[in-house]
Amino acid sequence: MDQSQLLLDVQRMLFGDEPPIFLVEIVIRTTVIYAWSLLLLRWLGSRTIGQLSTIEFLLVIALGSAVGDAMFYPDVPLVHALLVVTLVIGINKALDMLVARSKRAERVLDGTPKELIRDGVVGKAFLQSRTMGISELFQELREKGIEHLGQVGRAYVEPDGVLTVYRALDERPGLAIVPPPEVEPPPLTFADSPAARAGDLACTRCGTLRAVASGARPGTCPHCGHSHWTQPRVAALYKQP
């Protein structure tokens, strides 16, 4: 048996077979991988991460890999793993201090709240960014007891990915999201079809209301350009358990 593979070989267990200069390479490798991972996570956005901040999420996955490999892979020297863990913790602590002292760094690393809904209408910036789907947004609104968009005064997605909803004080007509349109499709009026009766129609994509006369064609939505309309919900119909 090779002496380097002997059980409880302290030299192999602590330092491996690489020369001491390899420790410098580990510092470079860890820094580059950490920075690249941080960049990719910011590109993915907070919805992918969940309720952790970007830095917290990266700390969890980085430590999980560094700690776990050294525990049961005999060819991972302990000193190398300890150096990686120390570097990850040190970088994370430095970024935390930077975020605490600089609002600009906080915006770059953690992101900022984004407005999704204002006065019952889904924002154009959200529709263009597609950070989450319309169906996903409506699902989260239903989970918060919202039946139609007229009940929503403001809705934001926070930097940690959580949806915050403020109900409107004066409930107005809005696009119904209960029952889900995938379960019970609403009756539609198309952009070039005459309206069956006079009144408001709601865009099925963003919730914009448009008043139309009986027999008039509603056209496309002036807010998002969508061509499907439906009757808005005027008041809540269901009671939360």
Side-chain angles (χ1 to χ4, degrees):
M1 179 183 292
D2 189 350
Q3 182 67 27
S4 64
Q5 295 299 318
L6 289 176
L7 187 64
L8 296 180
D9 181 354
V10 177
Q11 172 68 27
R12 173 185 58 80
M13 187 167 57
L14 291 178
F15 301 102
D17 299 323
E18 291 79 9
I21 192 65
F22 186 66
L23 297 177
V24 177
E25 182 176 331
I26 289 178
V27 173
I28 298 174
R29 286 170 175 264
T30 302
T31 303
V32 171
I33 292 297
Y34 190 100
W36 181 246
S37 301
L38 183 61
L39 179 64
L40 291 179
L41 287 173
R42 288 295 300 124
W43 176 69
L44 281 175
S46 57
R47 296 296 303 172
T48 305
I49 298 172
Q51 297 186 15
L52 296 175
S53 69
T54 304
I55 298 176
E56 290 170 341
F57 182 78
L58 185 53
L59 175 65
V60 170
I61 61 175
L63 286 182
S65 177
V67 172
D69 290 350
M71 285 181 176
F72 54 85
Y73 286 126
D75 56 343
V76 179
L78 291 180
V79 170
H80 296 178
L82 292 174
L83 178 58
V84 171
V85 170
T86 303
L87 285 170
V88 170
I89 294 293
I91 294 173
N92 185 81
K93 187 64 177 179
L95 291 178
D96 280 342
M97 295 172 62
L98 181 61
V99 166
R101 296 178 181 180
S102 170
K103 295 297 293 184
R104 182 177 181 182
E106 182 181 7
R107 289 193 297 270
V108 171
L109 294 173
D110 287 338
T112 57
K114 294 179 176 59
E115 185 177 82
L116 303 186
I117 300 176
R118 177 188 288 262
D119 297 329
V121 177
V122 180
K124 188 178 296 184
F126 165 74
L127 294 172
Q128 294 172 347
S129 68
R130 305 302 293 176
T131 54
M132 62 188 295
I134 290 292
S135 296
E136 183 182 359
L137 172 61
F138 290 171
Q139 174 189 333
E140 294 210 20
L141 290 174
R142 287 191 294 269
E143 291 172 354
K144 295 181 181 296
I146 301 298
E147 292 186 32
H148 65 85
L149 295 189
Q151 295 174 307
V152 182
R154 296 289 190 276
Y156 306 94
V157 60
E158 304 294 350
D160 61 359
V162 174
L163 182 67
T164 302
V165 178
Y166 291 92
R167 288 178 174 263
L169 295 178
D170 53 337
E171 186 174 324
R172 65 195 73 186
L175 174 66
I177 60 175
V178 175
E182 297 85 0
V183 175
E184 189 175 320
L188 297 177
T189 298
F190 299 99
D192 56 354
S193 301
R197 62 176 184 269
D200 286 335
L201 291 176
C203 172
T204 58
R205 183 168 181 245
C206 70
T208 295
L209 299 181
R210 165 166 279 188
V212 294
S214 178
R217 293 176 172 82
T220 58
C221 175
H223 182 68
C224 70
H226 198 55
S227 60
H228 295 174
W229 302 84
T230 190
Q231 294 294 322
R233 175 78 54 80
V234 176
L237 298 180
Y238 305 97
K239 182 179 180 180
Q240 285 287 301

